[in-house]
Amino acid sequence: MTYFFETYGCQMNSAESAALDLVCRERGWTVAAEGEGADLVLLNTCSVRQTAETRVMGRIALYAALKKKRKAGGPCLVVAGCMAERLGEGLKKTCPAVDYVMGTSARPVFPLILEAVENARTGVPLQTAEKPAFAFSSSHLEEGQFRSFVPIMHGCNNFCSYCIVPYVRGPEISRDPASILAEIRSLEEHGVREITLLGQNVNSYRWDGSLPREVPSAGPLAFPGLLRLIARELERSPIRWVRFLSANPKDLSPETVAVMAEYPLFCRHLHLPVQHGSNAILAAMNRRYTREQYLDLVRNIRSAMPEISLSTDILTGFPGETAGDLEETLDLMAEIKFLYAYMYHYNPREGTAAYGLPGRIDEKTKRERLGRVIALQKTHTQELLKNRLGRRNRVLVEGISRKNADELITRTERDEMVVVPGEASLTGCFAELTLSSLRGNTFRAKEIQLCPGGL
Ligand code: SF4
């Protein structure tokens, strides 16, 4: 039996597809080169923007046409992820080609779907009397993979007024630390060198259940406690870099900053979505921190880890945003100077609190404001990168450059890309190099030196 996945959206979806991939492989299924000839096609979807859903509807239409054309009926079509959660079984009425709709917490029914396909019983109702509870599970690792996500929490309780995630992912659930450590040990055995702890609101992790023996104190385990536990677990491990994503500024405690600073294992890069620089807009977005609190947080992070690079998300054109609010965002960017930013303008999303807000900004103004934010960010990125020229750096080798087979793509812990001449055999190894020049946002180095043992 063969399967083909199409994954859209965030890293949570990538991690979930990798977990579903493992379920298929453990049943003896093999991955197909494309959806057309597969026995099962799974679309792991995103609902954050309408455009993401429209794109998936296009893919469903394509597979529907394929199923109509093929006498044997074509692949079993499964729609999973946020769009499946949001639209539910109603999606099957709108798109009869869809055989199964599998919401974000419905992964436990996936083996039943595979079984139904194996028995050529596609389309039978699954025996799920109740909505299954979300379960964390391990992901499939590709041969030679040296970097992996480790989901540690799922869902979000924050209800930022523009965001659909809490409605489609449900409330926060944290993963048992014993299961997190077990997955990390398994990744270590499989040659992984860098892990990213993953969650919609990763730093609000909190485990109230039983704790591993290594944890000295009783009581709930919060995010900094988990980081400490992982740092101790990895003291002599070949996993040398740990990142986490996405951190919410309002939940980034001084203790988390202290633990990061204490252990060099935690990469000196932090993605800290600010979204806006105006308190009025932050309040309308229900972000639950102020501009001043965000600036204080950044000051504390930089004083604890002067080498750290920061990146962010910026959302312009929110309903009610004035020209003055935009100036406050530009001003905050100039004060902080992010290494890079994901910048976008507001698009109304049905089902969110902001959908009914008055004061929508017209498209032309939204585009102009976003253009100013992007232009400013470009100058900051260039300035920060130029200041790094001449620095000696540790990098993780990602692989051969697609443009030149004699060159390697590497990345620093600050999330900067460096191209350097080198051999493919260095892929997955830690090495050192000097940042000698800059082309666009990519550094170049003249030579690379392998760290002892590639670690
Ligand atoms: S923290 Fe806000 S933006 Fe992030 S997932 Fe939760 S509701 Fe959405």
Side-chain angles (χ1 to χ4, degrees):
M1 306 297 289
T2 58
Y3 64 98
F4 184 77
F5 291 176
E6 293 186 23
T7 303
Y8 301 91
C10 64
Q11 286 91 345
M12 289 299 287
N13 270 12
S14 304
E16 278 159 20
S17 284
L20 295 172
D21 196 86
L22 188 62
V23 176
C24 291
R25 285 168 196 265
E26 284 178 347
R27 286 185 81 93
W29 287 47
T30 51
V31 67
E34 52 180 17
E36 190 160 336
D39 294 303
L40 176 139
V41 168
L42 180 138
L43 307 178
N44 198 355
T45 62
C46 170
S47 272
V48 166
R49 292 189 187 88
Q50 183 57 49
T51 45
E53 289 199 357
T54 307
R55 192 162 165 215
V56 168
M57 288 310 240
R59 299 303 292 164
I60 293 174
L62 188 132
Y63 285 113
L66 184 73
K67 287 175 94 158
K68 212 168 168 185
K69 205 169 86 189
R70 278 186 27 186
K71 287 201 181 86
C76 165
L77 186 57
V78 183
V79 179
C82 289
M83 192 174 157
E85 185 72 34
R86 196 178 83 76
L87 300 175
E89 289 292 307
L91 184 60
K92 279 161 71 175
K93 289 202 182 84
T94 336
C95 309
V98 174
D99 296 291
Y100 296 106
V101 177
M102 200 172 85
T104 52
S105 60
R107 198 186 313 136
V109 304
F110 190 54
L112 300 179
I113 295 176
L114 298 182
E115 192 182 319
V117 179
E118 285 161 2
N119 297 329
R121 292 189 299 123
T122 303
V124 296
L126 301 173
Q127 299 304 307
T128 49
E130 294 171 4
K131 196 171 155 70
F134 180 82
F136 291 95
S137 53
S138 301
S139 309
H140 165 67
L141 272 184
E142 293 294 340
E143 187 66 29
Q145 189 179 327
F146 52 88
R147 182 184 281 151
S148 180
F149 291 123
V150 178
I152 65 161
M153 60 84 66
H154 181 269
C156 181
N157 296 344
N158 287 328
F159 293 91
C160 299
S161 63
Y162 53 86
C163 181
I164 196 95
V165 166
Y167 304 95
V168 290
R169 293 269 170 181
E172 290 171 3
I173 302 164
S174 290
R175 184 176 183 181
D176 182 344
S179 146
I180 296 172
L181 291 183
E183 178 156 11
I184 291 175
R185 283 180 202 127
S186 155
L187 294 172
E188 184 181 271
E189 281 167 20
H190 284 88
V192 165
R193 299 285 179 263
E194 176 189 322
I195 57 172
T196 301
L197 309 175
L198 206 57
Q200 254 94 32
N201 200 22
V202 72
N203 50 335
S204 68
Y205 175 90
R206 183 188 164 96
W207 176 253
D208 294 303
S210 58
L211 293 167
R213 267 175 305 159
E214 305 92 292
V215 181
S217 65
L221 183 71
F223 188 61
L226 178 71
L227 291 187
R228 203 177 282 284
L229 191 63
I230 291 172
R232 289 187 182 144
E233 172 73 25
L234 295 178
E235 231 161 343
R236 274 178 287 280
S237 164
I239 296 179
R240 292 287 165 95
W241 281 358
V242 177
R243 303 177 189 272
F244 52 86
L245 199 74
S246 281
N248 192 317
K250 79 175 175 54
D251 296 322
L252 200 84
S253 65
E255 202 188 338
T256 296
V257 176
V259 179
M260 279 185 80
E262 183 181 341
Y263 294 94
L265 176 82
F266 298 109
C267 288
R268 294 318 190 223
H269 169 247
L270 191 57
H271 186 75
L272 200 58
V274 64
Q275 305 296 3
H276 213 278
S278 147
N279 282 336
I281 300 297
L282 286 172
M285 287 177 169
N286 193 31
R287 291 292 289 174
R288 289 185 275 172
Y289 52 82
T290 62
R291 166 197 179 88
E292 292 74 24
Q293 284 166 335
Y294 188 91
L295 287 168
D296 268 353
L297 181 57
V298 167
R299 268 191 285 275
N300 293 342
I301 293 167
R302 283 184 166 155
S303 112
M305 293 169 281
E307 285 292 292
I308 202 162
S309 67
L310 297 170
S311 55
T312 197
D313 298 339
I314 296 177
L315 171 55
T316 54
F318 193 76
E321 183 191 68
T322 63
D325 292 324
L326 178 74
E327 291 306 323
E328 289 199 61
T329 299
L330 298 170
D331 182 68
L332 177 133
M333 290 170 70
E335 186 160 346
I336 294 177
K337 291 195 179 153
F338 296 102
L339 180 61
Y340 59 85
Y342 297 99
M343 298 157 284
Y344 53 115
H345 66 57
Y346 175 75
N347 276 319
R349 193 74 188 90
E350 213 173 340
T352 61
Y355 190 72
L357 283 181
R360 280 198 190 166
I361 311 291
D362 65 83
E363 289 299 314
K364 183 168 170 278
T365 310
K366 279 199 287 188
R367 276 200 300 276
E368 275 168 12
R369 290 181 181 179
L370 178 60
R372 287 187 64 195
V373 168
I374 291 173
L376 183 65
Q377 181 54 47
K378 274 186 183 163
T379 66
H380 292 160
T381 301
Q382 275 295 301
E383 181 187 328
L384 294 176
L385 293 179
K386 278 182 185 153
N387 284 342
R388 299 260 302 145
L389 286 171
R391 300 285 288 269
R392 188 98 183 129
N393 264 269
R394 190 179 175 82
V395 291
L396 181 56
V397 180
E398 295 188 345
I400 286 288
S401 157
R402 262 179 293 171
K403 290 185 191 149
N404 182 345
D406 296 327
E407 289 185 329
L408 297 171
I409 301 289
T410 73
R411 197 170 291 275
T412 70
E413 63 174 310
R414 289 165 45 92
D415 207 15
E416 299 149 324
M417 194 185 281
V418 192
V419 175
V420 60
E423 290 175 10
S425 59
L426 297 184
T427 301
C429 294
F430 286 100
E432 285 204 351
L433 45 70
T434 302
L435 307 174
S436 57
S437 61
L438 191 60
R439 267 192 223 161
N441 292 341
T442 305
F443 285 112
R444 299 209 151 242
K446 294 195 175 105
E447 52 183 19
I448 187 165
Q449 274 158 354
L450 195 63
C451 294
L455 299 172

